[in-house]
Amino acid sequence: MGLSSIGPGQWLVILLIIVLLFGAKKIPELAKGLGKGIKTFKSEMSNDEDETNKNSAKLEEKPDTKVFTSDEGIKSDEQKKA
């Protein structure tokens, strides 16, 4: 049962209930607020995806690091003691 099963008479009743609950002047304000909320949500989601892509690109870069063998580590410790 999707939205296609709701007939025109039922849509009219739903619309009438909404107008009675919120008033005719308040409905455009609610729709405007809902539209701004959706727009903000979409922009934040795209910003988050862009930031995630930038962070993953930074992680893929390999920093220049020197790998020490155990002998080199011991020598440097001995030199520090001397």
Side-chain angles (χ1 to χ4, degrees):
M1 287 193 189
L3 290 177
S4 62
S5 64
I6 297 176
Q10 294 164 336
W11 279 113
L12 186 61
V13 171
I14 293 170
L15 183 62
L16 181 65
I17 291 171
I18 291 173
V19 169
L20 289 174
L21 286 175
F22 297 107
K25 292 183 180 179
K26 194 71 170 175
I27 292 173
E29 293 174 18
L30 291 172
K32 186 177 181 180
L34 181 64
K36 284 184 179 180
I38 291 172
K39 185 177 180 180
T40 303
F41 179 76
K42 285 182 179 181
S43 67
E44 289 297 323
M45 290 299 292
S46 66
N47 288 343
D48 188 40
E49 288 175 1
D50 292 342
E51 188 175 313
T52 302
N53 290 339
K54 287 178 185 177
N55 289 339
S56 64
K58 287 180 182 177
L59 290 176
E60 290 176 2
E61 294 177 6
K62 296 188 181 199
D64 295 331
T65 56
K66 185 175 179 182
V67 178
F68 293 100
T69 61
S70 61
D71 291 338
E72 290 174 349
I74 293 172
K75 288 179 185 175
S76 64
D77 287 340
E78 289 174 359
Q79 291 173 353
K80 287 180 184 176
K81 291 179 182 177

